[in-house]
Amino acid sequence: MNQWPFIIAAYAIGIVGTVAVTALSYLRMRRAERQASALTRRD
């Protein structure tokens, strides 16, 4: 039985998951930085 489709799918899921988590973390970090700078500008 050929196992290459399973191996390719596993790598694809891993890569897509890593990219998604990285992108979401970056976007949330930018939002948090924007909110933090808004707090410091209030004073």
Side-chain angles (χ1 to χ4, degrees), residues 3-4 8 11 19-22 25-26 33-35 42:
Q3 296 176 354
W4 280 108
I8 292 170
Y11 272 103
V19 169
V21 167
T22 303
S25 297
Y26 178 74
E33 287 177 345
R34 199 175 321 123
Q35 289 174 346
R42 279 188 188 168

Side-chain angles (χ1 to χ4, degrees), residues 14-29:
I15 291 169
V16 169
T18 301
V19 169
V21 167
T22 303
L24 286 173
S25 297
Y26 178 74
L27 292 173
R28 289 185 182 189
M29 178 189 65

